[in-house]
Amino acid sequence: MSIETTGMGIVGIVLLMVVVTLATRWGGVYVMSIAPISARVRQFINAMSASVLVALIAPMALTGDVATRVALCATAALMLAVNKPLPAIAVGVVAAALVRQL
């Protein structure tokens, strides 16, 4: 099976992604509405978010360019120092931009 990637094929792909995204989000809300949230489930949810973040960042750290690695290091250092994610992310973005301009 192949989907045409020109013309209306792109619209079909985007609509399919919208349907899948909505189904997974609403499905997750539905499942969590019927699942009792015990301490063990709460620990699983907290660990899952961190593991997803590591799964996204680890490949970039291994295969990324110098700017990516500097951004990751700056973000991690500031996160450890101030424990506030938004300023840490902002510093990472600025660090990547500065390294790429050099």
Side-chain angles (χ1 to χ4, degrees):
M1 179 180 148
S2 66
I3 298 175
E4 186 68 32
T5 57
T6 59
M8 292 304 289
I10 295 293
V11 174
I13 291 171
V14 170
L15 289 176
L16 181 63
M17 290 188 321
V18 166
V19 169
V20 169
T21 300
L22 288 175
T24 55
R25 290 191 180 243
W26 289 342
V29 170
Y30 174 71
V31 167
M32 291 311 297
S33 71
I34 59 174
I37 299 181
S38 63
R40 187 176 177 143
V41 171
R42 190 178 311 270
Q43 286 176 337
F44 171 75
I45 292 170
N46 288 337
M48 185 174 56
S49 61
S51 64
V52 168
L53 187 61
V54 169
L56 292 173
I57 290 175
M60 286 192 305
L62 294 176
T63 62
D65 60 352
V66 174
T68 301
R69 291 181 181 150
V70 169
L72 289 173
C73 290
T75 303
L78 198 64
M79 187 64 197
L80 289 173
V82 298
N83 199 21
K84 294 187 184 234
L86 196 55
I89 292 170
V91 166
V93 169
V94 170
L98 288 175
V99 170
R100 290 201 169 123
Q101 290 299 315
L102 296 177

